[in-house]
Amino acid sequence: MAGFLDRAKEQAQSALNQGKQKVDEVQAQRAGNDLLKRLGAAYFAERRGSGSAQATQDALSALEAHIAAHGDGFLRA
């Protein structure tokens, strides 16, 4: 009986870890999408004359940092 409980506990822990990993992936994807949207808005504002090149560069830098940390998978989705 103890062996069964140990296996059940291992499987539950494995499922918990997989769920946490999936949540982390979804959160990283959402953050990447938000940064991409921010970059687009900054560029659009700059082109219309109501934004600055610095705001666009800051948004681009934030997006590049996110890609370096989490990859660019959100760009393909």
Side-chain angles (χ1 to χ4, degrees):
M1 186 69 162
F4 172 76
L5 292 177
D6 288 340
R7 281 183 298 208
K9 183 178 176 182
E10 287 174 14
Q11 288 177 346
Q13 187 64 40
S14 176
L16 182 65
N17 290 340
Q18 288 175 351
K20 183 181 179 332
Q21 182 180 3
K22 184 63 177 173
V23 166
D24 291 345
E25 289 172 11
V26 169
Q27 288 176 339
Q29 185 173 10
R30 285 184 181 164
N33 288 335
D34 289 345
L35 289 170
L36 192 58
K37 183 178 177 181
R38 183 176 145 210
L39 174 60
Y43 179 75
F44 181 73
E46 180 184 352
R47 297 298 290 175
R48 287 187 59 208
S50 61
S52 69
Q54 186 60 47
T56 302
Q57 184 58 47
D58 291 346
L60 180 60
S61 295
L63 181 61
E64 288 173 338
H66 179 80
I67 289 171
H70 302 285
D72 63 356
F74 69 95
L75 294 172
R76 293 183 208 96

